[in-house]
Every structure is written in structure tokens, then in C-alpha cells.
Amino acid sequence: MTNETKQTLVIDEEQFLPRREMSNLERWLGTDTYRALRGMVTNPTSIVGLVLLGLFLFIALAAPILAPPISSNPYQIPRDGYGSVPKPPGTLWNSRQPELPFWWKPIMGTDQWVHIMGTASGQWDIYYGVVWGTRTALQVGLLITFVGAAVGITIGAVSAYYGGWLDMVLMRITDIFMAFPFMLAAMTLSAVLTPVLGKGLFPPMIALMAFGWTGFARLLRSDILSVREREYVLAAQVIGVKDARILFRHILPNAIFPTLVLGSMRIGSYVITFAGLSFLGIGAEVGYADWGQLLSFARAWMTNLGEYWYIVIFPGVALVLFTLSWNLVGDALRDVLDPRMQGSR
Amino acid sequence: MAVGIDLGKPTSQHLLEVRDLTTRFYTEDGVVHAVNGISYTLDEGETLGVVGESGCGKSVHALSMMRLIPIPPGKIEKGEVIFKGRDLLKLSEEEMRHIRGAEIAMIFQDPMTSLNPVLTIGFQITESLQLHQGMDKAQSRERALELLDMVGIPEAALRLDDYPHQFSGGMRQRAMIAMGLSCNPSILIADEPTTALDVTIQAQIVDLVKRLQDKLGMTVIWITHDLGVVAGMADRVNVMYAGSIIETGPVKYIYGDPHHPYTLGLLGSLPNPEGSMGVRLYSIPGEPPDLVGMPKGCPFAPRCTFKVERCLHEMPMLEEIEPGHLAACWEKDRVRRV
Ligand SMILES: Nc1ncnc2c1ncn2[C@@H]1O[C@H](COP(=O)(O)OP(=O)(O)OP(=O)(O)O)[C@@H](O)[C@H]1O
Ligand SMILES: [Mg+2]
């Protein structure tokens, strides 16, 4: 009797889940990444977002070809004289015409370079501003978000991990930073920093970083706190894994996704805020390729926008589409990550 | 040094000796008396069943031994947990980490939540091997394959890079067991490892652990609220109620000759094996006490059909009935299995 029971080993009674065939790509990327990526390229919202984003990336990368720089500083928008009245799209370049891009003649059949998007008052070429401004937007948006997220993630993780009085202190500091209205705080700080660092992109960027990390810290902290209660964290403790490793390998990968989604959503809004500061004259020096700066050229012509629409429309549309693309991507990221998280809990 | 016994030094000829372990949680609602001075010993190769209703402190008692209760709100108030002659409660955190997983392993109730969804099964099994046995990646994978094979997961080589959601519940629990056993621990604590599984798979897991125990000579602490599960596998049983051990003894006495009304109640709630037709399902009326502000007297008194005046005022202590069989009840001589 005992022999009999010993011999019927226990494997077969349970129906094991059949092993799903995986493609090589899936094997290489890992199931989760693969699923997320597949979600990203099949979800219509995210396709629109990704296409727009791809377009901006292309413009940024191809800027020297799309708009060959005139001086050693390519971010300096070339100007065609000093007249104060804007000129409409299609106006010929008069003076100091930049080098003609190679694609212009085969397409247009002429040697004559025009102001493709018109000029702003002061004869700044809007096309150059929009094209090179794409680079500025990407740099500014990514850098602010990157630094802001890094600071926020560090503070959020430390806070959740150590808890106790350190958590208390860090969260009260976060509260204080959050208590300031974001735009106003960023404006004040960059105005204070400008005399110290000189006029340029840095004062507003630093100001936005200084006030932008709070959302990341809060979000990550609460997600870590909730993940920390999961049984698999206890299971890792039970086998004697070091606390720091538990945080980085076991908790963070489960808690970081909402923060990444927030990050991608924030890129657009930082660029908008940055443009807002530029518009107010805090930020890039005059003539620096930056969408907010271009928009500020329209300030004197607010009442005649019917006539001078091009000063607002081109940089404005660029700004809106840029923000939209990041929001769509962020939205789609959240959609593809959420069901995954539910499915695997 | 010279003469006499050094009482300051914890010594024990048992593999594990728990003395007066007491754990409380200081919550906003008051002090939760989760574990109230439990003591027992465990020898090599033995299987101990820990049985009791939900919330009676079974898990907290195990986690206290592993020093893994959240502090705060939790606090191990007093006691000793002497494992291989060393008091675990006095070890440094670093020393304790080398006990966990390597010497004492633990598996949990819900295999759906106790595996990390973003890490592969292979990663989770090899982690402990790399940690405690200094194996490199290749060696630990090799060993993980053996382990998965041993716990009965087919095509282990292909399964190593799977994520938990690709495993069924029973397979996950097998993987958890593989994780637990990876470093040949002396003690395996199984905290209701079958509760979340359906009945046939429960039986398989119980069987698996029994076989592995025979093979590896482990000591097992099997926590459950189902006396039926431990009947076939335990050598001894601790019956817990409201954070205390209220009856303990060899499994045959606990089943054949219980002397605490609560044990009787737990047994009554088992399907009666004799009455082939009338399967009697009897559960103990009333609720287990809330462990905040423990009543004076016997905690089981409010639900007890044997209670007398004395039970309401005086807490009974564990007293011997026969060698190795103890019960904490003033009326234990009246309590008999019918
Ligand atoms: N982190 C905590 N904070 C406060 N109270 C806790 C905490 N963990 C456990 N408790 C309390 O300790 C008591 C014992 O809980 P424990 O988890 O040990 O019960 P159990 O016997 O394992 O029950 P189950 O069969 O449901 O697992 C319960 O009253 C519970 O509410
Ligand atoms: Mg429990």
C-alpha cells in the first residue's frame, strides 16, 4: 500500500497551463515589454502620438538640412533687416539670405529662398524659429523632466523606503514646494536666477526643475508604499534579500510605471510653461530659436492677428501638437500598462 | 567558566526552541495582543502543525521568529527563539539575513501574490542561491532546473524564463516551494500554502512537501486553520487561540483525546469520517476575540460550553495531561471527545 502511493508521483493530475509559443522578439524583449510595445503600436491614440512625436524628432534631427544655419550659432534666428512690420509667408529674402538648402531648387525650381512662414516684427524668420525651436523644445522638455523626475524619484523612494521622521521631513518639504502656484513660483525663481546666471535657457529650466519634481516624489512614494505591502516583497525578505536590493529589484519595477506615465505627460506641459516664461520675456535671449519667444513677437500685434496670423499660428500649432503628442503617448502608455498590471497581479 | 550553568546563555538541545514569545502591534485602535507568550520545541525532522482560526496569531508567530513583522507598529516584546543554539531575536540584522532562506525558509498562502509579477521564475529561484551559496549565474540556473524538476514542473528548462502569470496556481506554489527549498534549509515554515488552491491540488502540494521532507530531512512547521490537513502529516500539533497555545501534543492525542473545548470544536468542524451519509459540519459558535484589550480570564470562555465561573476571572495555564500533551483549560478533565 505504501509502495503504491509512493509510485504514483503527483505531476500529471493538474492541468498545467499550456506553454504559449513566443516569437523571438518576445523572447528577446521579455513578455511584459513586448506586450507593452505591441500595445503601443496597435493602439490608435498612441499611433497618432507616436507619429507626431516622430515628426518632431525628424524636424529636430534634420534641422541643419531643413534650415541651414547662418552663423556659428544655429539657434540664432536669422533676420532679414530690422523693419518692425511682419511680412507674410512667401516673401522673398532680401538681405543676408542664409545658404539655400539643397532640396529647395529641385522642388521649387528657383534659386530664390523665401520666408516660408513669414517674418515676425524685427524681421526674424519664423520658419527658422519653428524648426530650430523644435530642438529647443525637445531639449528643454526632456532635460527638465529628466532632472525633475530623477529628483522626485529619489526623494519619493528614500521617503517611502526609510519612512519615519525622514519621510515626514521630506514630505513636508514636498508640501511646501507644492504650496506655491507652479507658474508663479517658476517665474519668480527664474527672475531671481537670471541676474546670477545671465539671460538664457538655464534660469527658467532650473526654476521648472526646482518646482517640477514634487509630483513625481508624491506619486512614486505612494506607489512604493502600496507595493511594499504585497506578499512577494515579504517573500523576498524571507529569503534574506538585502533591503536596498528589494527596493530596486523587487519594488521599484512594480511601482515605477505610473511615474513614467506622469513623466511623459509632463514633458509637454513643461514645454508649454517654458514657452509661457519665454513669452513673458524670462528665458532665452532675443532671437534665440524658441517657440515661446516667437509667440512673444506677436504681443505688439494682438489686435491685428487677422492680418498677422502667421506669427501666432506656426509656433502656436507646433507647441500644441508637441504637447498633444506627449499626452497621447502618456495616455496610451497608461492604457497598455494598466491591464498588464491587473492581469499579472 | 568554572562551575554551574550559565543561565544568561540560551542553550537548547532542540533544533528550535521558542520561549515565551510575545508580539504586539501598537495601532491607533489600541494594542493588538497578537502573540502572547508561546513556548514550544521542535526537533530535527519533525513536523509541527500550527492550527487555529483566522486571526489567532499563527502568521505573526512565524514572522516574529523570522523577525519580519513590520516595526512599527509591531514589536516583539519578549521571548527567545533559539535556533541551533543561537537566539535569533538577538542576532544583528545582517546575521539574520543569512538565516532567512538559508536556514529557515517560508512559503505563503497565496501563490498568486507571493511571486513578483515582473521577475521571471528563474530570477526568483536563483536569487536565493546566489545570495546564500555564492553561486554564479550558470550554477544557480543549473540548480534551479533541478529544483523545478524536483517539485514536479515539466519542461523546467523552458519554464525558467517564464513570468509568474504564465503559471497556474498549483505550479506557482510548486515554484514557491522550489524557492523555499533552494538552499536546503533546516526548517520550512509553510503558512497555509494550500488554502488558496482547489482541493485536488491541495492534496498534491501536501503530498509533495511530505515527499520532499522524507528526501531532504527537513523540519516543517505547517500552519493551517484546517486540522484535517495536518492530520496526515504532522507529528505534533499546536492549537492556537487568541495568540496563545491552548493545547499541544502528539497528533494522535490531539485527534483522539483532545482536552480543550476549542480543539474539540475544531475537530467538530471536520467532516465526520464515520458517518458516511451524515457528513456533520459543525462550527464553533461566536467570534474569536478581538485581540485589542484582552479580557481577563480564559479568552475562549465567551464561546465555551464547558465554562464555569472561574474561567471568567482566571487565565488557565498549559498543564500536562500525559507526557507531551498539555492543555490550558480549568475544566480539561471534563472535556472529552464524543
Ligand atoms: N501589521 C499589523 N498591524 C496590526 N495588527 C496586525 C498586523 N499584522 C497582524 N495583526 C493582527 O495580529 C493578529 C494575528 O494575525 P495573524 O496574521 O497572525 O493571524 P493568523 O492566525 O495568521 O490568521 P489567518 O489564518 O487569517 O492567516 C490579528 O488580529 C491581526 O489583526
Ligand atoms: Mg496567517
Side-chain angles (χ1 to χ4, degrees), chain A residues 229, chain B residues 23-27 30 32-35 50-63 69-74 109 191-192 195 223-225 240 243 289-292:
Chain A
E229 298 301 316
Chain B
T23 303
R24 295 186 185 137
F25 291 97
Y26 293 84
T27 67
V32 181
H33 297 251
V35 175
V50 177
V51 184
E53 284 169 300
S54 190
C56 67
K58 305 183 295 293
S59 300
V60 171
H61 126 265
L63 291 174
I69 57 161
I71 301 172
Q109 177 168 358
D191 190 353
E192 309 199 35
T195 318
I223 298 176
T224 177
H225 50 244
M240 284 187 72
D290 116 38
L291 299 175
V292 183

Side-chain angles (χ1 to χ4, degrees), chain B residues 2-55:
Chain B
V3 280
I5 309 149
D6 184 359
L7 287 171
K9 215 177 198 162
T11 48
S12 172
Q13 64 272 52
H14 303 282
L15 176 66
L16 179 78
E17 179 162 359
V18 178
R19 290 183 191 153
D20 200 21
L21 183 63
T22 303
T23 303
R24 295 186 185 137
F25 291 97
Y26 293 84
T27 67
E28 281 171 15
D29 301 328
V31 183
V32 181
H33 297 251
V35 175
N36 303 313
I38 64 175
S39 306
Y40 62 89
T41 62
L42 199 56
D43 291 318
E44 213 155 318
E46 240 188 324
T47 301
L48 173 72
V50 177
V51 184
E53 284 169 300
S54 190

